[in-house]
Amino acid sequence: MKDAIQHDAFEIIGETLPGRWLITCDHASNRVPPCVNGGDLGLPEEDMARHIAYDVGAAGVSRHLSRLLNSPAILSRFSRLVVDPNRGEDDPTVLMKLYDGSIIPANRHADADERERRLAAFHRPYHDAMAGLIAQRDAPVLLAMHSYTPQLKGREMRPWHIAVLHEKDSRIATPLIARLKAEGEWCVGENEPYGGHLDGDSIDRQALAQGHANVLIEIRNDLIVTDAQQEWWAERLAPILTDTLVEAGV
């Protein structure tokens, strides 16, 4: 897309597109920038390729939704293990040292100075860019795209194909959940496999605090591994989201 913008911390697609939605993908990438431990967190490739490093498939779905909804998208360009943009700056998990059974070697001894350096280099620029996009738009509706692993180590399989997370603002979530269930082919979760939102997370910071309508969608990541799967889900979701926005009347 000709008006794509790329920064070390983020990518913006379709900044000037006129659609109501602003699609966000906090965990779009498993990239470790060279300024962070020489571009290597010390994990094996198989760990960097799984959900602990990023939301597998979420970036592709976000890109396709940007096109189909004629709306801008912002995607992170750093692994959630570098620093997690979907956590408040004071959240102890903003810089993870252990995740789903894997110790992150480059984070194990990270001190307050290193945490601050990563916040300044990646977390804050990403959120500043998102805030800038929101400020440019009248009555934006935030659509946060995420994915989740079918199974955490030692836990039961997660049955949901797709889930909607919400807490303090259900204007979009409630009719969207009803529409997804009405499709009749998916196991739809509500506040699964995680509950609502965390204080200081992206939705809390960028939508709830400002009064903007919002919704967070999670798709099980084994369903969106390939580009064809990502496009299929985007094509199914786009008309549902469009109708839901009308129904919600926001």
Side-chain angles (χ1 to χ4, degrees), residues 96-110:
M96 293 289 285
K97 300 187 177 186
L98 173 68
Y99 193 180
D100 195 23
S102 294
I103 294 172
I104 297 86
N107 293 353
R108 187 173 185 176
H109 301 294

Side-chain angles (χ1 to χ4, degrees), residues 43-110:
L43 286 168
E45 288 186 13
E46 54 266 31
D47 269 346
M48 291 304 297
R50 68 190 188 100
H51 70 99
I52 68 169
Y54 75 126
D55 281 359
V56 176
V61 176
S62 298
R63 293 177 191 279
H64 288 300
L65 281 173
S66 174
R67 171 178 55 83
L68 293 166
L69 295 173
N70 202 29
S71 295
I74 180 167
L75 296 77
S76 68
R77 294 194 63 235
F78 54 94
S79 171
R80 67 194 302 168
L81 297 179
V82 170
V83 65
D84 194 334
N86 196 34
R87 296 291 184 272
E89 291 194 17
D90 60 350
D91 190 310
T93 65
V94 73
L95 201 162
M96 293 289 285
K97 300 187 177 186
L98 173 68
Y99 193 180
D100 195 23
S102 294
I103 294 172
I104 297 86
N107 293 353
R108 187 173 185 176
H109 301 294

